[in-house]
């Protein structure tokens, strides 16, 4: 059976990797929905190549420009262009969508992920911020709608592969004692604290092993990415943070490990290329061929493992503390991080100040963040307050 995809964030790094696999296997996959924020010309090219039925641009001006571009060509007559957040959510609930690839970066992807969960879709989740912000709402929505979430974040996909038939999303797998999330350590792994503090945007977004969008690249440099992934693993595999360890593994060959009660530890390995975890989830429970480079075992190879350094990279401890606080603390942390990373990328904040903004916002809002969110609206109001607090502090630091 041909699987019909909605690719959210189609113009981004995850979107591109997904569409590359669709092009590689036209007999297995078709595209029903493509979405992006405001990249009109890249979207025109994707429309011509993949002939979706519906395109959503979250920015209305970009949607207007896209409609004009598509009205000038005959091949686009079957494509509907919609705009705004509600269109984004509607697009994932369509009957002619089987798989939803959640590849939007940040909080902007949350509503569509929740709608897809209520609609009972199979969700290929890259947008970790959705789970970090609203783990409990995602779990409830998936249970109510009968949705399946398959992780494509490489670490979580590695764990998913190690679990095999034991995987049930949002349930603790039988016989598992520990999850070991591997982390490359990012571009500043070996740097002194002062040098990290003054790192430039160019230095922060050049990851040693992975090619990714700008926000997640900065998150990898602060190691907040691993903090977000710890929270993502907590929800996906229903494991307490104390049973999830982080191991620095600079080569990015082992993508994560699972320790079982009999003493076995299983690891998943591969080249650092997102097309492997995405293909694994797209074709699950089967496997499909990909053009990904194979590991060369004829060459001498070393795999190193070391513990993380919390003094230089406080993000992991902040993430653990937010999980222990419960309620909306992780959402507060995520919102503050999004604001701080954006300020850093726009050169309004020093790299080291990203940690300060997150810490400050968590301290200010911890008391208010203790209640478990009962609705998307209550969560978004906490998110909004955290963003305003973080923004205000960024301005103070920049003054
Ligand atoms: P990216 O910046 O390359 O792409 C982001 C996509 O989201 C783009 O298509 C953009 O148009 C869309 N978008 C941005 N803001 C939006 C908004 N306000 N409303 C609607 N759409 C919006 O990002 P990416 O690297 O592909 O990452 C996407 C998600 O996947 C992130 O949550 C990231 O943490 C996760 N992820 C990425 C990788 C990777 O290798 N890139 C690996 C693991 C997880
Ligand atoms: Mg990852």
């Amino acid at each position: 059976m041909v699987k019909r995809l909605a690719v959210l964030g189609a113009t981004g790094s995850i979107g591109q990797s997904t569409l590359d696999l669709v092009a590689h296997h036209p007999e297995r996959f078709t595209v029903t929905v493509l979405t992006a924020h405001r990249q009109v010309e890249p979207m025109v090219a994707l429309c011509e190549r993949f002939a979706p039925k519906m395109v959503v641009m979250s920015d209305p001006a970009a949607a207007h420009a896209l409609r004009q571009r598509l009205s000038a060509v005959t091949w686009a007559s079957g494509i509907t262009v919609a705009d705004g957040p509600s269109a984004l959510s509607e697009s994932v609930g369509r009957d002619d969508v089987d798989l939803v690839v959640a590849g939007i970066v940040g909080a902007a992807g949350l509503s569509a992920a929740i709608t897809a969960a209520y609609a009972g879709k199979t969700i290929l989740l890259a947008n970790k911020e959705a789970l970090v912000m609203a783990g409990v709402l995602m779990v409830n929505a998936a249970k109510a709608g009968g949705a399946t979430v398959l992780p494509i974040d490489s670490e979580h996909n590695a764990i998913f592969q190690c679990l095999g038939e034991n995987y049930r999303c949002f349930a603790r797998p039988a016989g598992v004692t520990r999850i070991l999330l591997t982390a490359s350590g990012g571009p500043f792994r070996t740097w002194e604290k002062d040098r990290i503090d003054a790192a430039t945007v160019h230095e922060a977004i050049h990851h040693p092993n992975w090619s990714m969008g700008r926000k997640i690249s900065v998150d990898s440099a602060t190691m907040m990415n691993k903090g977000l992934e710890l929270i993502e693993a907590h929800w996906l595999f229903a494991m307490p943070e104390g049973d999830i360890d982080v191991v620095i593994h600079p080569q990015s060959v082992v993508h994560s490990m699972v320790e079982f009660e009999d003493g076995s530890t299983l690891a998943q390995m591969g080249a650092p290329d997102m097309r492997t975890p995405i293909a694994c989830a797209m074709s699950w429970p089967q496997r499909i061929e990909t053009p990904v480079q194979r590991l060369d075992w004829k060459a001498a190879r070393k795999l190193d493992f070391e513990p993380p350094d919390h003094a230089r990279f406080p993000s992991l401890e902040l993430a653990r503390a937010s999980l222990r606080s419960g309620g909306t603390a992780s959402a507060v942390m995520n919102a503050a991080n999004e604001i701080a990373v954006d300020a850093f990328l726009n050169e309004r904040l020093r790299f080291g100040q990203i940690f300060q903004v997150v810490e400050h916002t968590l301290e200010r809002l911890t008391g208010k963040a203790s209640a478990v969110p009962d609705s998307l609206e209550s969560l978004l109001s906490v998110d909004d307050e955290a963003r305003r607090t973080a923004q205000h502090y960024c301005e103070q630091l920049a003054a």
Side-chain angles (χ1 to χ4, degrees), residues 160-196:
F160 163 73
Q161 294 195 45
C162 292
L163 294 175
E165 288 179 355
N166 250 337
Y167 175 74
R168 303 275 175 279
C169 68
F170 306 133
R172 183 167 179 143
V176 171
T177 41
R178 213 153 47 118
I179 281 175
L180 297 132
L181 286 179
T182 53
S184 69
F188 308 146
R189 180 177 59 90
T190 58
W191 289 24
E192 300 287 333
K193 196 171 184 315
D194 289 350
R195 192 171 165 215
I196 295 174

Side-chain angles (χ1 to χ4, degrees), residues 1 4 71 131 158 220 225 305 330 334 353:
M1 192 191 78
R4 300 161 298 177
S71 67
L131 265 190
S220 296
N225 184 48
F305 299 94
S330 301
N334 176 66
Q353 291 175 323

Side-chain angles (χ1 to χ4, degrees), residues 128 153-155 225-226 229:
K128 62 194 86 182
D153 204 349
S154 58
E155 296 76 2
N225 184 48
K226 214 48 56 178
E229 290 183 353

Side-chain angles (χ1 to χ4, degrees), residues 292-352:
V292 171
Q293 210 172 15
R294 299 327 192 223
L295 294 173
D296 178 7
W297 294 104
K298 291 199 184 82
R301 174 184 287 286
K302 266 175 69 179
L303 300 180
D304 296 307
F305 299 94
E306 63 194 42
D309 177 352
H310 300 300
R312 286 180 307 140
F313 298 101
S315 308
L316 274 175
E317 290 299 302
L318 289 172
R320 285 193 188 279
S322 84
L323 267 183
R324 286 193 297 267
S325 300
T328 50
S330 301
V332 168
M333 184 189 79
N334 176 66
N337 182 58
E338 285 192 27
I339 293 293
V341 170
D342 187 63
F344 169 70
L345 283 170
N346 288 295
E347 300 185 351
R348 286 185 277 112
L349 212 60
R350 279 204 322 279
F351 185 83

Side-chain angles (χ1 to χ4, degrees), residues 227-250:
L228 299 176
E229 290 183 353
L230 190 126
I231 301 170
E232 184 185 10
H234 160 76
W235 288 107
L236 274 173
F237 307 110
M239 304 269 285
E241 59 90 20
D243 291 349
I244 308 169
D245 287 351
V246 172
V247 185
I248 304 291
H249 167 50

Side-chain angles (χ1 to χ4, degrees), residues 85 88-89 92 107-117 127 130 376 380:
L88 184 60
S89 287
V92 300
L110 174 62
S111 296
I114 290 188
T115 308
N127 181 211
L376 188 54
L380 291 179

